[in-house]
Amino acid sequence: MTALLRVEDLTAGYGGAVAVDGLSLALEAGEAVALLGANGAGKSTLLKAVLGLVPASRGRIWIGGEEATGLAVERRVRLGLGYVPEGRRVFPGMSVRDNLEVASPLGRAGRAADLDAVFALFPALEGKAAERAWRLSGGQQQMLAVGRALMGRPRLLLLDEPSLGLSPKLAGEVFAAVKAIAGTGTAVLVAEQSAARALGAARRAVLLRLGRVVHDGPADRLPDDALRDAFLGG
Ligand code: ATP
C-alpha cells in the first residue's frame, strides 16, 4: 500500500536553528497517529514542514505517493493535505455554515453532502449553523476548524494541538471525531502535549524529543520510559 505521508530524513527549522532533525515517518490510509512530545520538541514544525510553511533544509516528503518536497502549500493541499493550525482559526464574523461552505472545492450537491457529513460528525455544530463563528465556545470552534479542513476532502489531515484549552469533555469529543475520521480512511497526524487524551484516539504514537523520533509504536503499548524520556528528557 502506498503511504499517504512519507517523510525521509527531514531537517527543518528557523534560520540556523534546527527544530526537526533528520526525521523519518510514514502514515498509511486510515491511521490515526499521535505525535507527542514536550513543549518545543518540534511537533508544530514537523506539521508546518509537511504543509510547506517551513522549508526543509534536508530530506524528502511524499504525499499520497507524490513527491512534495519543495512544492508550494497549495500544491500540497491539492495532493490531499488538510491542516488545522494551533489556535483554531475560523472566520469569526461568518456563520458556521459559511465557514464550512467556503472551504469546499465542490459544486452545490457535493458541498451539501460534505456539510451533512460534518454535521453528522459534530452534531453540536448543526444547531449553530446560522450563528456567527465567534459566538461558539472554544470547543465548538475547534470542531468547526476540523470541519473546515474536512470540507477540503483531505486524504491526510494534520491537527496541531486540537485539545489546547478545551475541557476534558470537549477534548474527548474532538478525539472521538479524530477516531471517526480515521475510520473513513483518512490518515490523521495529531500533535499533542497531552499524551493521555491523544493516546485514546490513536492507534500509533510517535514521540519526539529535540526534533527527533525517540519512539514509534502502538499507542496502547507505549513504554513508560519512552514517555518519560520524551517529556522529561530521560
Ligand atoms: P509546542 O507544543 O510549544 O508548539 P512543539 O513541539 O510544537 O511545541 P515547535 O513549535 O515545533 O515545538 O518548536 C520547535 C523549536 O523551534 C523550539 O525550539 C522553538 O523555540 C523553535 N521555534 C518554533 N517556532 C519558531 C519560529 N517561528 N522562529 C524561531 N524558532 C521557532
Side-chain angles (χ1 to χ4, degrees), residues 4-232:
L4 280 187
L5 174 67
R6 192 147 72 89
V7 166
E8 237 177 61
D9 196 25
L10 182 72
T11 295
Y14 309 89
V18 169
V20 166
D21 189 6
L23 188 151
S24 298
L25 180 70
L27 254 77
E28 303 288 342
E31 250 194 325
V33 174
L35 183 65
L36 304 174
N39 203 329
K43 306 179 297 292
S44 300
T45 305
L46 173 61
L47 299 190
K48 287 176 185 166
V50 170
L51 185 67
L53 289 177
V54 172
S57 56
R58 205 181 68 213
R60 296 168 77 185
I61 299 169
W62 291 261
I63 298 167
E66 305 263 342
E67 179 144 18
T69 323
L71 290 186
V73 174
E74 314 81 76
R75 300 270 308 276
R76 300 187 197 205
V77 168
R78 259 182 266 140
L79 291 177
L81 208 55
Y83 173 61
V84 180
E86 198 177 317
R88 50 190 98 104
R89 304 214 196 102
V90 297
F91 297 122
M94 277 168 57
S95 71
V96 166
R97 178 186 300 276
D98 287 348
N99 260 282
L100 293 169
E101 287 191 340
V102 296
S104 173
L106 304 180
R108 187 189 290 246
R111 200 163 58 220
D114 285 357
L115 193 66
D116 285 345
V118 170
F119 286 155
L121 190 62
F122 298 117
L125 292 182
E126 188 163 21
K128 306 259 177 188
E131 292 266 17
R132 300 203 186 268
W134 67 267
R135 297 182 60 95
L136 301 182
S137 71
Q140 290 165 344
Q141 287 190 27
Q142 184 64 64
M143 291 170 193
L144 182 55
V146 175
R148 279 176 52 80
L150 290 176
M151 292 297 284
R153 296 214 164 178
R155 293 192 287 170
L156 167 67
L157 184 59
L158 310 175
L159 300 177
D160 201 351
E161 301 263 0
S163 80
L164 199 70
L166 301 190
S167 69
K169 178 173 178 288
L170 283 170
E173 285 179 30
V174 168
F175 281 114
V178 165
K179 218 170 173 175
I181 293 164
T184 66
T186 303
V188 189
L189 183 59
V190 50
E192 270 290 331
Q193 270 190 60
S194 153
R197 286 174 187 172
L199 288 173
R203 198 164 74 188
R204 206 174 114 208
V206 172
L207 303 187
L208 291 193
R209 181 165 175 252
L210 299 176
R212 297 187 179 166
V213 174
V214 290
H215 184 83
D216 184 343
D220 58 357
R221 270 177 281 139
L222 207 57
D224 280 346
D225 56 343
L227 262 178
R228 213 174 307 122
D229 181 45
F231 282 90
L232 303 174

